[in-house]
Amino acid sequence: MSAETELSTLYDAAKAAGETEVVIYTPYGNHQPLWDAFAAAYPAITPTVVVTTGAPLFARLEAERTTGAYAGDLLFSNLSTVTVLQRDGYLQPDEPSTVAGLPDRYREPGGHFQIPFLNLFTVVYNTRLVTEEDLPSTLDEVLADRWKGKITYGQVTGTGATDFNLAILDHNQALTQEQLERIHANAVPAESNAAALQYVAQGRALFDLWTPTQSAVPLIEDGAPLGIRLLEDSSGVWGPGLGLLEGAPHPNAARLLKAWLYTPEAQALFASETNSYGTLPGTPGPETLPDIGYYSFEDIPADRAAEILAAFRSKAGAIWGF
């Protein structure tokens, strides 16, 4: 079946079944332009975004499974979270024809999730409080004792975005045990990546480690005193997993939205509207960032993500106590 035929067939099926919405569980609150574009293309279906992650997400999904009152259709979250939920049986296989050209490293072999975009994670700093001469060039420089207590990051929990950034560095042998311990000792965790970014914008911290630039850029455009610093030894790009939830109450609408996100239209919107890189080959990247070939770290491949993340989770848990 061609991609165009699949999209049309799913839309007709959703309308016939009375599926007027599709519910997405995600920590990302900045993808509204994509949801608006989908709604314009398929006006009979309204995307409903529930911003949730971590313990609240896990509790919500467990409650839905226990009661049978399923509400969520799609999970769109970092791979640390997605692989745990896949392991625990919360995702069902779904591999739309639109992912046919997607590189294997962005596709879980069983079809439980794929990776639609990549985002840059690097250091964000307060431009009013950090001078050009003081900008770090390496991870060791930002972790120096002179900045102790003035660095923040999204809490390491075993399933968070910071965990995945650290796991990528560890996977590439670009992170030492000493550096991990120094992050724990010299930086002050925030309850989330969004909170860490606000701490820097407010001057409560000078540096935020591995903030998603898709979150920083809108604040910068609105006048927040934030700057992005690429550290060649610790900046990386990675993306979330997108999967169909077991028990999805709007299965046709969910499959339609999932398939649509891998069309050229949607892939281009990731760059223009969220400062991210689409994963389909040939997709244009963000105008403000380097070409995707700039980044040298090897991805954590989707087919080994669960194994690699579980191994790193044990290492990080010994330091952060989870």
Side-chain angles (χ1 to χ4, degrees):
M1 182 185 297
S2 70
E4 184 177 348
T5 299
E6 180 180 26
L7 293 169
S8 177
T9 299
L10 286 169
Y11 189 39
D12 289 343
K15 289 187 292 183
E19 298 174 17
T20 58
E21 72 170 339
V22 53
V23 179
I24 307 111
Y25 291 163
T26 181
Y28 310 116
N30 64 325
H31 287 98
Q32 194 59 44
L34 280 97
W35 314 137
D36 290 343
F38 173 82
Y42 303 99
I45 301 172
T46 300
T48 299
V49 179
V50 178
V51 178
T52 180
T53 189
L57 169 65
F58 284 79
R60 178 188 290 265
L61 291 175
E62 178 60 24
E64 290 183 15
R65 172 186 278 179
T66 301
T67 63
Y70 293 101
D73 294 303
L74 292 171
L75 176 68
F76 191 19
S77 191
N78 71 76
L79 286 191
S80 297
T81 295
V82 171
T83 54
V84 168
L85 290 172
Q86 177 200 349
R87 178 200 67 193
D88 293 344
Y90 285 98
L91 299 180
Q92 57 180 306
D94 175 60
E95 196 164 53
S97 59
T98 49
V99 305
L102 198 65
D104 287 345
R105 65 184 182 277
Y106 303 134
R107 303 164 68 169
E108 191 274 321
H112 292 88
F113 66 84
Q114 296 84 34
I115 299 172
F117 76 88
L118 306 174
N119 190 40
L120 169 63
F121 284 76
T122 189
V123 166
V124 172
Y125 65 96
N126 186 297
T127 55
R128 292 177 183 163
L129 301 177
V130 181
T131 65
E132 285 286 330
E133 309 88 76
D134 282 336
L135 282 178
S137 298
T138 66
L139 180 58
D140 280 337
E141 287 180 10
V142 78
L143 294 176
D145 286 342
R146 65 179 296 201
W147 304 121
K148 186 172 184 177
K150 300 175 182 179
I151 314 160
T152 189
Y153 61 97
Q155 177 66 284
V156 175
T157 62
T159 59
T162 303
D163 299 74
F164 194 81
N165 281 281
L166 293 172
I168 283 184
L169 295 179
D170 186 66
H171 176 62
N172 283 271
Q173 299 182 335
L175 185 69
T176 66
Q177 181 73 17
E178 181 185 358
Q179 286 172 325
L180 267 179
E181 292 172 355
R182 194 177 298 173
I183 292 167
H184 182 263
N186 284 10
V188 180
E191 59 268 26
S192 66
N193 288 80
L197 193 58
Q198 288 296 328
Y199 290 173
V200 176
Q202 296 162 3
R204 296 166 63 185
L206 300 183
F207 301 102
D208 177 13
L209 300 174
W210 304 298
T211 279
T213 56
Q214 66 174 1
S215 301
V217 168
L219 296 178
I220 293 170
E221 291 175 346
D222 287 342
L226 298 172
I228 295 170
R229 181 66 167 179
L230 281 165
L231 303 185
E232 292 191 8
D233 69 345
S234 57
S235 299
V237 288
W238 61 270
L242 173 64
L244 180 66
L245 286 164
E246 281 286 352
H250 314 102
N252 298 295
R255 288 187 170 95
L256 175 62
L257 175 53
K258 187 164 175 279
W260 177 82
L261 284 172
Y262 296 95
T263 63
E265 174 192 1
Q267 288 281 291
L269 287 173
F270 280 119
S272 64
E273 301 297 332
T274 73
N275 207 56
S276 304
Y277 300 86
T279 47
L280 280 181
T283 301
E287 292 183 0
T288 58
L289 295 178
D291 181 84
I292 192 67
Y294 171 88
Y295 308 101
S296 59
F297 290 138
E298 176 186 308
D299 302 311
I300 291 179
D303 63 345
R304 295 189 60 216
E307 163 204 344
I308 292 169
L309 292 172
F312 181 75
R313 196 172 292 123
S314 296
K315 181 183 292 188
I319 297 174
W320 274 272
F322 54 80

